[in-house]
Amino acid sequence: AINHFPNHYELSRKDLLVKNIKRYRKELEREKDPLAERAEVPGRYLHLDFIPITFVLPADYNMFVEEYRKSPQSTWIMKPCGKSQGAGIFLINKLSKLKRWSRESKTPFNPTLVKESYVISRYIDNPLLIGGKKFDLRLYVLVTSFRPLKCYLFKLGFCRFCTVKYDTSIQELDNMYVHLTNVSVQKHGGEYNCMHGGKLSVQNLRLYLEGTRGKEVTERLFTAISWLIVHSLKAVSPVMANDRHCFECYGYDIIIDNKLKPWLVEVNASPSLTSTTVNDRILKYKLIDNILSVVLPPDGIPDVRWNKTPSPDALGNFELLLDEELAAQEDHQGHQNRNRSDSRGPLYRWK
């Protein structure tokens, strides 16, 4: 990425992201905000249920065991908090495996010795498959300010496919070509295709889903994805060091399950800008070009006094998800002019 907020890790470290989202839900609940409405399932939320149930180990070990015992047949995925590109990840479906791992790893569950914490999340074992293969979405989200929040979604995201057909059988639990979509993992597999790099554009995913599942549910999925992005950013905005000089392009990793529900897997603060294919190179060139167009004032010269409100022409392939400053201005105008018809634009989708 070209730039960073000083403490971007509040969003991009797996354990801190979870902590911030949990805190955000609690705060909204205290404020009796309808967004924080609870689901019928204990401990789950109706609208803010976009991360799988997750615990930080070793700290939350007992809470994890309690949750695990509710459905002992379920699979969980372990990820080291500080690593990327699929390193150190493994799946477990038995407590004994976790205990064996904690004994064998050089850092037993003893807080004084722990060098690295892990997150353990309920594994999404019903992913949407295309051609029998699992994939995730890589979406690029540009944030130019956290307070007020101003964020944009790059329309040219893509799906990253596993090279091997998805298989939930126990013997495939350790086969990362089946479970992990990271290109850095998949490119070592025998089935990897260098031409398309196991990637499919978001536009083509949308067309495929409209054809197989219908327009309405596809629309609902993409709205839910935008909702998930905005609320993950709102969850960290109070703790983010909001330096006016900063902007950041995050790489969002999202998995869609077979009920067409999106789940946030993680957020990367330095998404890979190296290209694996020709299309990839064109896409990443556009991404960088469009980022500079959005974050720079119209004359192209950086200016800290600029209010960071780009013209529609400057957006390129970015679409505005939320600009709290513009939304507040529109609210104000709306109060002044109560009689006009209620024509609320996209700024109000996330209220």
Side-chain angles (χ1 to χ4, degrees):
I2 304 171
N3 197 350
H4 291 296
F5 286 92
N7 58 341
H8 61 75
Y9 47 77
E10 293 284 353
L11 183 65
S12 55
R13 253 189 80 108
K14 300 171 183 77
D15 50 343
L16 296 179
L17 171 67
V18 169
K19 186 189 84 180
N20 284 316
I21 288 175
K22 286 180 178 177
R23 190 200 62 241
Y24 177 61
R25 289 166 173 168
K26 292 252 161 33
E27 282 170 2
L28 289 176
E29 240 175 328
R30 269 202 304 277
E31 292 162 13
K32 305 245 184 311
D33 191 307
L35 280 183
E37 196 182 328
R38 293 280 190 144
E40 288 172 11
V41 185
R44 304 297 284 277
Y45 289 77
L46 206 55
H47 309 292
L48 296 174
D49 185 37
F50 54 80
I51 51 169
I53 297 178
T54 300
F55 301 98
V56 179
L57 297 181
D60 302 337
Y61 181 73
N62 293 339
M63 279 153 63
F64 161 70
V65 172
E66 198 179 314
E67 185 63 40
Y68 174 88
R69 295 218 158 108
K70 290 181 192 167
S71 48
Q73 293 310 307
S74 53
T75 301
W76 295 75
I77 186 163
M78 287 274 290
K79 301 180 180 186
C81 291
K83 290 202 176 99
S84 63
Q85 299 189 318
I89 294 179
F90 60 95
L91 273 60
I92 66 155
N93 59 352
K94 291 193 174 63
L95 265 185
S96 55
K97 188 171 173 183
L98 182 62
K99 287 178 178 149
R100 188 170 73 238
W101 170 80
S102 79
R103 272 200 311 275
E104 288 169 3
S105 65
K106 288 176 277 307
T107 54
F109 285 129
N110 175 345
T112 53
L113 296 175
V114 165
K115 294 183 187 64
E116 181 164 43
S117 52
Y118 272 71
V119 289
I120 187 162
S121 305
R122 170 74 62 94
Y123 182 65
I124 312 275
D125 57 8
N126 63 327
L128 175 67
L129 304 179
I130 296 182
K133 291 174 182 175
K134 178 179 167 177
F135 66 94
D136 75 349
L137 276 183
R138 162 54 62 88
L139 299 176
Y140 298 101
V141 175
L142 175 63
V143 179
T144 56
S145 161
F146 273 100
R147 290 187 303 280
L149 183 58
K150 299 185 181 197
C151 53
Y152 305 83
L153 175 62
F154 192 59
K155 294 181 202 150
L156 308 179
F158 51 86
C159 311
R160 303 179 299 185
F161 279 82
C162 287
T163 49
V164 179
K165 289 206 169 182
Y166 185 68
D167 183 348
T168 48
S169 66
I170 300 305
Q171 57 269 28
E172 290 294 354
L173 210 57
D174 296 329
N175 182 348
M176 288 303 136
Y177 295 122
V178 172
H179 299 287
L180 295 190
T181 52
N182 308 53
V183 173
S184 39
V185 172
Q186 291 295 337
K187 67 182 179 196
H188 300 297
E191 310 282 326
Y192 184 70
N193 176 320
C194 310
M195 287 300 289
H196 56 67
K199 291 178 177 173
L200 174 81
S201 72
V202 165
Q203 281 91 330
N204 283 339
L205 171 69
R206 192 189 272 265
L207 290 171
Y208 170 80
L209 289 175
E210 284 177 359
T212 51
R213 299 290 190 101
K215 224 174 169 95
E216 198 180 319
V217 285
T218 303
E219 205 46 55
R220 205 176 306 141
L221 164 68
F222 281 91
T223 302
I225 288 171
S226 299
W227 162 272
L228 165 168
I229 293 167
V230 167
H231 285 285
S232 64
L233 293 170
K234 281 188 164 190
V236 300
S237 64
V239 294
M240 217 39 109
N242 193 45
D243 186 324
R244 281 193 66 87
H245 299 83
C246 296
F247 62 90
E248 190 150 21
C249 179
Y250 294 101
Y252 269 69
D253 292 348
I254 291 167
I255 282 191
I256 302 166
D257 70 20
N258 59 14
K259 299 186 180 86
L260 292 203
K261 175 177 169 65
W263 296 92
L264 177 56
V265 178
E266 66 179 295
V267 182
N268 299 276
S270 298
S272 162
L273 293 176
T274 54
S275 46
T276 48
T277 65
V278 175
N279 281 347
D280 218 20
R281 189 169 72 237
I282 296 167
L283 177 141
K284 284 169 181 168
Y285 177 84
K286 279 184 186 162
L287 174 65
I288 294 168
D289 185 58
N290 291 175
I291 288 172
L292 293 175
S293 165
V294 173
V295 300
L296 291 175
D299 61 7
I301 298 161
D303 181 359
V304 74
R305 294 182 302 266
W306 185 52
N307 70 353
K308 291 187 170 177
T309 307
S311 71
D313 296 341
L315 292 181
N317 290 291
F318 277 106
E319 60 177 327
L320 177 64
L321 283 175
L322 178 68
D323 181 331
E324 287 182 334
E325 196 173 25
L326 276 180
Q329 285 168 10
E330 288 208 356
D331 260 355
H332 181 63
Q333 283 165 355
H335 285 308
Q336 287 175 328
N337 187 0
R338 281 276 180 222
N339 305 331
R340 98 186 158 165
S341 65
D342 191 10
S343 56
R344 295 189 155 188
L347 295 174
Y348 287 90
R349 287 188 296 185
W350 322 117
K351 283 293 173 97

